[in-house]
Structure formats: structure tokens, C-alpha cells
Amino acid sequence: MTDPAMSVTPYWELTFDADGDPDAGRRDRVLAEVTDRGVRDLVVLAHGWNSDRSAATRLCSRFFEPFPVLAPTARLGYAGVVWPSMRFSDEPIPDFPRAVAAELPPRPVLDKDTRHALLETFPGRATVIDRLARLLDQQSREDAELEEFGRLVRLLVEVVPPGPQALFAADTLAEGVPQDEPDILAGSTATVCEEFARAITLLEDPDGARGFTIPDPWDGAHELLRQGTYYAMKRRAGTVGERGLGPVIGQLAAKAPGVRVHLVGHSFGARLVSFALRGLPEGVHTVKSVTLLQGAFSHYAFAARLPHDPRAGGVLQGQQNRVDGPLVCCYSSHDSALGTLYPLASRMAGDAQGVAEFGIGQALGAKWGAMGHDGAQAVPGTPSLKLAEAFTRLPAKGCVNVDAAAVVRRGGPPAGAHSDICHRELARLVLAAGRVH
């Protein structure tokens, strides 16, 4: 049954829990109805951080809206991947209703909508969340209180001590080298919070018009909670993709072998659909294109070897070869969530250089950069195209980087244009990648 609020038809939703287990009824409906509805090309969109299902559905409706006009003769079907993620309520999404992106009190207060989202996303952690909220509200000048805040963030997102049992899902893997937790969740909380506070100040006042001010570390504490939460979502996105969406695509290939699948992911949803390639059963060639929109994972994820460490490679190395078509990585310089905060948050333990030491400009090119900032890196033969060029010059196979800054450009701090993805041009790019006419 098509959701009456959707802009397109036929539309289905695939819902997964945090372990990647699908809602069997929704999955079976897709498998049963895709062939009956005469679908030839199924476009599957995975959202990034959204607080609830209704927000994810609105995103799907707005993103899919141009497709029928752009490909009027194609036999298109549409699916939204809904998974348990969350968005901090002070992150505005361009063109979304104020009820979704409301004006909220300034940081570091933890507003009620974000508290509710945290409770939904981390069940069983109500006591931890309440204590985090109180600490943010009180803003104690005692160092011990800030360190307690860091301990609670680690507890909330289930960080374990550094070593081979670390729960964070790394995007790069070193041969024989244990993965440590990110530096933001190890060591001195005060130091990390001060660093985040300086980065936010620079993002909000890049020209220094307000004059010199000493950043409040509690502004950085708010950002530490945000980034810690997003690391948990990053880990979860990989799980849902590999254990959930990948096998479902395999089931679809067996049930409807003539249906061509086109995967699209935004933010951590880009990580989700990329990890779905790892979860595809052997011999499945039904995925004809992948389009990553402002991907919030390492730009080295598909690399066989890292430029700065020949022992290490990307966790998804070679997975682009599972796509019977191109894997398109869209990026934008207007995405400050990925251009500045992501590499700052992604530094691994022992890499102590921070944004205050080398400035925003150099932070953008940090070795822990994101796919949505500069595309796939260290993958030989990957071309780089402007958006206008990509409509006619996409390769038949392999990774390709597309600079989408011409349209992905709206949004204020701290995220910048990270969520500015609902554009006719990006819909056209998805169709071009899949050779859908």
C-alpha cells in the first residue's frame, strides 16, 4: 500500500531495528508487490540522522518528487529505508517545517526534543541521559563535572577501552593493529570540549567579527555529546546495511531477478547502503548504481591502501565492484558538519593535533576526512566531475567523485549544508548513474 503522504507511487518502506533485523511484514510486501506493480527500476533511499519515522518519510517524499517528471517512461518504484537513528533538534534542515527544525534555546541546553530522541535511540539509558542533561544545564566550573560528562557520554554510546574489542565501527583497518576508540572519547574531556568549542566559534564567526572571545567548554560538551551519539549511529548504520539491507536485496534478486536496484544514501545512510554491498549474497548483481549524498564516513573507506599507512586499507575496499554500474560520491565544500567537525571528531587516539593548532582550512583536508567533503580518496582511477558534467560523463563502473556544491549549499552552523540534498539535479544524477530513461 502506498503512503498517502508520499509524492510518488508505488512506494514502500523497509524498516530495520538496531541489529539489522527487518520488519518482516514490510519486507515481504516489497518482495510480493514489486513484480506485480511492474517495477523495472527500484530506487532505495536510506536517511541519515532523523529523529523519527515521519521525518524520514518526509525526506523520502521530497527527494523522490522529481523522479516521475525526469523519467516519465521509466517503470520506477521507490523504497525508503527507515532505521533507528536520531538528529539533534538544533540542526535545521533546509525547507523542512519549523516543527521539525525548530528555533531552540542556544547551546549548551539539552532541549526536550533532543532528550526524547536520545531516550528513543538509547533505550535503557534514561538515568545517564538525565544526568547529562543536568550537567549541561548547570554548567559547573568544576573540572570534575566536565570529566563526569565525558564518562557518561562513553557510557551512553557503549564505548569500551581501546583494543581489539572496541565497539566503534572503523572505516579503515590496519593489518594486525588493534582499533582504538576515537580521541574524542579518550583522554581529557576538558581538552576535547575546549577544542570543539573553538571549532564552533570559528564556524559561527569565521571572519572574527565578534572579536576575540574565550570559548565556553560547555559549548564543546554539547558537541561532544552530539559527536559521540553520531559515532553510535555510524556503527549502527554499518550493521543495518550489512546484516539488514544487503540480505533483503539478495531476497529481492531471487524473487524478482528482472528488477534493477539503485541505492541512495544520505549522511550515515550513505554508510548504510555502502555496507549493504558487503551483505549481498554471492552472485547477486541486481545493484546497478549507488549514489552517496554527503556521506558521513571516511573518504578512505574504499581504498586498498592508505597514503599515510601502507599497512591499512578501507573497510569497504573492493566493494564498489559489487555494483553493476558506478558508485557516485557526492560532496560539497558547504558541508561544515563533514568539512570541519567530522575530521576533528574522527581523529584516532594518539593524533593530538587539533583544529586550534592548524586552523579550519587545514582541518578540511585532514587524513580523517569524510566522503561527503571531498569524495572517495586513494582509489586509483577515480575521476572527479562537476555536477553539470556528471549527467553525461559518468563511468560505466567504479567510483566517481561529483562536486555537488553548486546545489548543496544551504544551511547554518554547525552542520552547514549537510542536509541540503532535496534537489532536482541530484535526482537527475541518480537516474544518470543507473542509466534510467
Side-chain angles (χ1 to χ4, degrees):
M1 180 179 296
T2 299
D3 191 318
M6 288 301 298
S7 61
V8 291
T9 184
Y11 171 80
W12 300 272
E13 282 188 348
L14 291 166
T15 303
F16 298 91
D17 66 16
D19 296 321
D21 294 325
D23 180 309
R26 290 180 178 273
R27 176 202 59 200
D28 294 345
R29 183 178 302 160
V30 175
L31 298 179
E33 295 182 3
V34 161
T35 301
D36 292 344
R37 299 294 294 268
V39 171
R40 170 65 172 163
D41 290 278
L42 180 68
V43 185
V44 180
L45 174 63
H47 65 80
W49 47 70
N50 283 288
S51 296
D52 52 34
R53 180 185 168 193
S54 63
T57 302
R58 280 193 294 272
L59 175 68
C60 289
S61 183
R62 291 185 57 238
F63 185 81
F64 287 144
E65 187 173 6
F67 280 74
V69 175
L70 292 170
T73 62
R75 291 182 291 160
L76 287 167
Y78 310 87
V81 174
V82 179
W83 59 288
S85 180
M86 71 161 287
R87 174 183 60 83
F88 271 56
S89 298
D90 59 353
E91 292 181 11
I93 299 176
D95 296 337
F96 262 54
R98 289 179 63 87
V100 178
E103 291 295 328
L104 297 164
R107 288 183 307 271
V109 173
L110 192 64
D111 64 277
K112 62 181 180 63
D113 290 337
T114 298
R115 287 182 65 174
H116 176 74
L118 287 168
L119 290 167
E120 291 288 317
T121 306
F122 300 101
R125 292 288 193 273
T127 301
V128 174
I129 293 166
D130 287 345
R131 177 62 177 155
L132 285 166
R134 284 197 298 273
L135 288 170
L136 279 174
D137 187 51
Q138 293 166 358
Q139 302 179 46
S140 170
R141 298 298 99 183
E142 298 292 331
D143 290 344
E145 297 291 272
L146 207 54
E147 295 303 322
E148 170 69 0
F149 186 88
R151 186 190 71 82
L152 291 169
V153 171
R154 289 192 290 272
L155 181 61
L156 177 68
V157 300
E158 299 180 306
V159 175
V160 298
Q165 301 301 315
L167 292 181
F168 276 107
D171 286 333
T172 57
L173 297 174
E175 298 171 3
V177 179
Q179 292 297 307
D180 293 337
E181 66 183 68
D183 197 36
I184 62 166
L185 294 173
S188 168
T189 299
T191 299
V192 173
C193 289
E194 288 167 3
E195 197 165 306
F196 272 130
R198 284 193 289 270
I200 292 168
T201 298
L202 287 170
L203 285 173
E204 294 179 340
D205 186 26
D207 300 323
R210 303 175 190 171
F212 177 77
T213 57
I214 299 175
D216 188 334
W218 282 104
D219 280 353
H222 184 276
E223 189 61 34
L224 173 62
L225 175 58
R226 185 200 308 270
Q227 295 294 341
T229 299
Y230 291 165
Y231 265 99
M233 295 304 99
K234 173 183 175 181
R235 181 179 67 226
R236 186 175 292 179
T239 298
V240 173
E242 185 169 358
R243 299 181 186 175
L245 182 59
V248 168
I249 294 172
Q251 293 170 327
L252 178 63
K255 182 80 172 179
V259 174
R260 308 168 76 245
V261 176
H262 310 280
L263 299 178
V264 185
H266 169 237
S267 187
F268 287 137
R271 191 175 197 267
L272 189 157
V273 299
S274 296
F275 271 74
L277 300 174
R278 288 211 327 183
L280 287 177
E282 288 297 322
V284 171
H285 304 289
T286 192
V287 178
K288 302 301 180 182
S289 68
V290 175
T291 305
L292 309 179
L293 305 172
Q294 302 312 114
F297 63 114
S298 173
H299 54 192
Y300 292 131
F302 294 100
R305 287 291 179 265
L306 305 189
H308 55 275
D309 186 354
R311 301 171 303 166
V315 72
L316 295 172
Q317 56 183 283
Q319 292 302 318
Q320 66 270 27
N321 298 323
R322 301 298 309 273
V323 185
D324 190 21
L327 187 146
V328 181
C329 306
C330 292
Y331 64 92
S332 171
S333 59
H334 302 295
D335 186 337
S336 52
L338 299 185
T340 298
L341 294 176
Y342 180 92
L344 180 59
S346 296
R347 291 178 296 112
M348 302 302 279
D351 182 7
Q353 192 176 36
V355 69
E357 297 171 11
F358 55 83
I360 289 290
Q362 289 171 283
L364 300 179
K367 66 182 181 181
W368 302 113
M371 194 77 66
H373 173 67
D374 55 5
Q377 300 297 307
V379 180
T382 299
S384 295
L385 305 173
K386 295 292 187 181
L387 182 59
E389 300 174 304
F391 300 135
T392 57
R393 292 181 53 193
L394 289 176
K397 286 276 291 183
C399 294
V400 54
N401 294 328
V402 175
D403 184 351
V407 296
V408 181
R409 57 184 304 112
R410 296 176 301 158
H418 184 67
S419 294
D420 187 21
I421 63 164
C422 293
H423 295 282
R424 179 187 179 93
E425 294 88 347
L426 296 181
R428 185 182 171 193
L429 182 64
V430 172
L431 293 169
R435 271 61 173 179
V436 179
H437 304 290

